[in-house]
Amino acid sequence: MNIRISQHDPLPPHDRLEGLEHLVLLLPAPRSGKRRPRHPFREVLEERMHRFDFQKDSKKPLIVDLPNATGTRVSLSYLEQDLSPFQLLSLARRHAAAHLEQNPRRVALMAPGILDQAWQARIADAFLSALLAARPLPAFKSRRPKAPRLREIALYGFTAPLPLARIQAEAEANHLARSLTALPPNELTPGSYRRRIARLAREEGWRMRFLNEKSLVQRGAGAFLAVTRGSPQRDAGIVHLTYTPGTPGRRRPAGSIALVGKGICFDTGGVNLKPARFMHGMHGDMQGSAVALGALLALSRLRVPYTVHCWLALAQNHIGPKAYKQNEVVTACDGTTIEVVHTDAEGRMVLADTLALCARSRPRLILDYATLTGSCIHALSTRYCGACTNRPELNDYIVRAGRESGERVWPFPMDEDFDEALESRIADVKQCTLDGEADHILAARFLQRFTGDIPWIHVDLAAGEHKGGLAHIPTDITGFGIRFTTRLLLDFQVQDVFG
């Protein structure tokens, strides 16, 4: 959906204010001894604040429909400058909901009295992101909802240079990730997913190749192929996408980064079958691949000056007479032998071969995303995502990128003695343990074996789904990871930390 963002320096005259149908009004928190900034509809809004006992430190906005001819809907908040990005995005979501429930064509955003340009930029980022995030996700009801009418967001009085291209790229990428994750499993199989990716690759100018099961047999990818054995359709495989900056034919820039995503389109648990409560929603077990694909979209739309590879492990974990089972020993494409302990730990199996193949191209940094473990949710809830890295120096960057993006991430330890739990008597490594203790850390220790010596960050998407939405995202499916990734790579440039 094409939404125009217009930036106007002065506030509009009073007669034009009266014609506004939807206004987001943001004011600096009052300070003793300082003059209150002039703002639109001041007298009537102050009367309404008094009538509804609105507290200026409220975490919820004041929502009023004015008694003018237009019936202007105003949402108002007083802002402290030290609000965290997460707090600001969460507040922006409440404002956006108040306006978008009326399906407007145009929403105006004003912040009179907020003059600091860095603060202006933070406000614009949060509120534009929240308004853009409200696009509907795929639905299959027989009665279709009304199409969204929003076509313009007008910013008044914002003098700061705003990163509009990045805000829009991140919003498009997040919506792509959420839309794919929302599709039911009969709509998004590995085969249909690959065709969707192929169309997007043509539109965006990415190079695409697909390693089907025959190609993976030739490469010895036994960990991936163990998972796919139970599938009735032979449509699983690994998609490899490449974004290259500049004009075709010119010398490629030195160095690259790689994004890797788990794309299990449905997870039954395999022979170790999930009960119904835990199998429900397992069409979303491909969210890691959707986030990796969305991150590629955002980075290529922003024309980053380095090559970006994207590896997507597309498969399903089915039951059946050919399905892999406990106590099997399979061999990954790098020669590592793996003892299968639990067939519901299929994500680390498909990622093992995908990471090993990715590492052969020697990127500067590998980022992988996966809805991998329930233990990460138990540790952090669905408000944070977990991360592990083979470079402890990156932990500070991970925390800062999570904080600045509003997509909060917390790193876990990666000490070598965790490997003791994965020691196998008959193979090089166990796939997992049966007791589940610290499984998110053990999964990361297992995956690290397949990254070689390349700097690597693993993101366990505990916050991939959060009831009622999270930060600026209004849906249970969050698409978590796009803003985190752009902050990590564009603001902190971690791909250059190790030269």
Side-chain angles (χ1 to χ4, degrees):
M1 183 171 63
N2 187 24
I3 298 175
R4 186 168 73 94
I5 300 174
S6 58
Q7 197 170 351
H8 311 270
D9 188 2
L11 296 180
H14 183 76
D15 59 338
R16 287 190 59 195
L17 280 172
E18 287 288 331
L20 291 176
E21 294 183 351
H22 290 269
L23 172 62
V24 178
L25 185 59
L26 306 167
L27 301 172
R31 294 282 184 269
S32 58
K34 292 209 169 186
R35 291 182 60 187
R36 292 178 298 173
R38 296 184 63 184
H39 62 78
F41 310 116
R42 179 168 174 172
E43 291 183 6
V44 66
L45 286 174
E46 289 189 347
E47 183 273 327
R48 296 297 175 89
M49 281 189 270
H50 178 73
R51 185 196 303 180
F52 298 123
D53 193 27
F54 176 72
Q55 302 300 311
K56 294 185 177 179
D57 60 352
S58 174
K59 294 181 180 179
K60 295 182 179 179
L62 174 70
I63 312 295
V64 295
D65 294 327
L66 299 184
N68 57 9
T70 310
T72 304
R73 168 157 287 200
V74 178
S75 63
L76 179 146
S77 285
Y78 286 86
L79 302 183
E80 294 281 358
Q81 195 162 358
D82 61 355
L83 280 175
S84 72
F86 177 81
Q87 291 171 319
L88 195 56
L89 288 162
S90 299
L91 179 63
R93 169 161 52 102
R94 296 188 178 101
H95 278 264
H99 295 280
L100 296 177
E101 69 181 6
Q102 295 190 346
N103 204 10
R105 289 185 180 276
R106 185 174 188 266
V107 175
L109 176 62
M110 298 182 192
I114 296 178
L115 304 178
D116 180 86
Q117 294 208 335
W119 195 10
Q120 282 190 8
R122 287 178 54 215
I123 291 168
D125 171 48
F127 282 80
L128 289 172
S129 296
L131 287 164
L132 294 171
R135 290 170 58 186
L137 297 184
F140 297 86
K141 292 180 178 289
S142 55
R143 179 177 293 181
R144 293 190 178 185
K146 289 183 179 179
R149 299 167 63 235
L150 185 63
R151 291 295 177 268
E152 183 184 3
I153 305 170
L155 292 87
Y156 289 97
F158 285 80
T159 58
L162 303 178
L164 298 182
R166 182 153 98 176
I167 292 168
Q168 290 175 307
E170 289 171 346
E172 287 290 328
N174 175 274
H175 188 261
L176 171 68
R178 286 187 294 140
S179 295
L180 288 169
T181 306
L183 291 171
N186 56 325
E187 288 285 331
L188 194 75
T189 64
S192 66
Y193 194 177
R194 175 169 51 86
R195 290 188 289 274
R196 287 173 181 268
I197 294 168
R199 286 196 297 271
L200 184 62
R202 287 193 296 271
E203 293 168 3
E204 299 297 328
W206 303 330
R207 190 172 80 248
M208 175 178 170
R209 67 177 178 135
F210 179 62
L211 303 179
N212 60 19
E213 288 187 321
K214 183 178 179 181
S215 298
L216 293 174
V217 168
Q218 293 171 349
R219 288 165 172 79
F224 188 104
L225 293 167
V227 175
T228 67
R229 272 187 356 223
S231 297
Q233 292 85 27
R234 313 316 316 160
D235 57 355
I238 298 174
V239 171
H240 178 200
L241 300 164
T242 306
Y243 156 81
T244 305
T247 306
R250 290 189 180 179
R251 189 165 61 90
R252 292 184 181 180
S256 64
I257 66 139
L259 311 170
V260 177
K262 170 189 170 186
I264 300 294
C265 295
F266 196 81
D267 180 17
T268 66
V271 170
N272 299 128
L273 192 66
K274 293 177 183 284
R277 179 182 174 189
F278 296 104
M279 198 188 301
H280 186 74
M282 280 298 105
H283 64 290
D285 207 19
M286 40 60 64
Q287 187 167 175
S289 65
V291 171
L293 185 64
L296 174 65
L297 179 67
L299 294 171
S300 61
R301 290 273 177 94
L302 294 172
R303 302 183 185 280
V304 294
Y306 44 82
T307 299
V308 182
H309 296 281
C310 184
W311 298 77
L312 309 175
L314 308 186
Q316 298 190 71
N317 189 20
H318 274 294
I319 55 174
K322 295 183 179 180
Y324 83 128
K325 50 194 175 291
Q326 288 174 289
N327 300 120
E328 289 190 17
V329 174
V330 299
T331 304
C333 65
D334 68 344
T336 300
T337 57
I338 302 166
E339 179 187 355
V340 176
V341 174
H342 201 301
T343 64
D344 198 19
E346 85 298 329
R348 66 200 75 183
M349 299 289 282
V350 298
L351 285 174
D353 278 321
T354 309
L355 286 168
L357 292 169
C358 167
R360 291 176 182 177
S361 63
R362 307 295 302 170
R364 285 188 182 180
L365 174 73
I366 299 174
L367 271 161
D368 86 63
Y369 313 84
T371 47
L372 204 65
T373 64
S375 67
C376 193
I377 294 175
H378 290 306
L380 292 174
S381 82
T382 57
R383 297 178 182 277
Y384 269 69
C385 283
C388 292
T389 178
N390 60 1
R391 296 293 194 277
E393 306 94 317
L394 292 179
N395 281 329
D396 182 55
Y397 292 96
I398 289 168
V399 173
R400 288 166 62 197
R403 184 173 58 242
E404 292 301 315
S405 66
E407 293 185 330
R408 299 168 298 180
V409 178
W410 196 253
F412 285 94
M414 283 283 282
D415 301 279
E416 289 185 6
D417 57 304
F418 281 104
D419 290 345
E420 294 170 9
L422 297 178
E423 290 178 359
S424 169
R425 279 182 259 180
I426 60 170
D428 295 331
V429 65
K430 285 182 181 177
Q431 163 211 39
C432 63
T433 65
L434 285 175
D435 58 22
E437 183 181 55
D439 186 48
H440 53 300
I441 298 173
L442 298 184
R445 289 297 305 177
F446 174 84
L447 293 178
Q448 180 184 316
R449 300 177 65 100
F450 303 93
T451 63
D453 60 351
I454 297 169
W456 161 75
I457 298 170
H458 161 67
V459 183
D460 196 328
L461 295 171
E465 188 168 336
H466 182 78
K467 189 173 178 59
L470 192 64
H472 60 302
I473 302 299
T475 56
D476 291 358
I477 298 168
T478 66
F480 188 113
I482 306 296
R483 287 171 61 93
F484 167 75
T485 301
T486 56
R487 298 307 182 278
L488 195 68
L489 299 179
L490 302 181
D491 294 352
F492 298 118
Q493 300 183 345
V494 296
Q495 67 273 21
D496 296 329
V497 168
F498 300 100

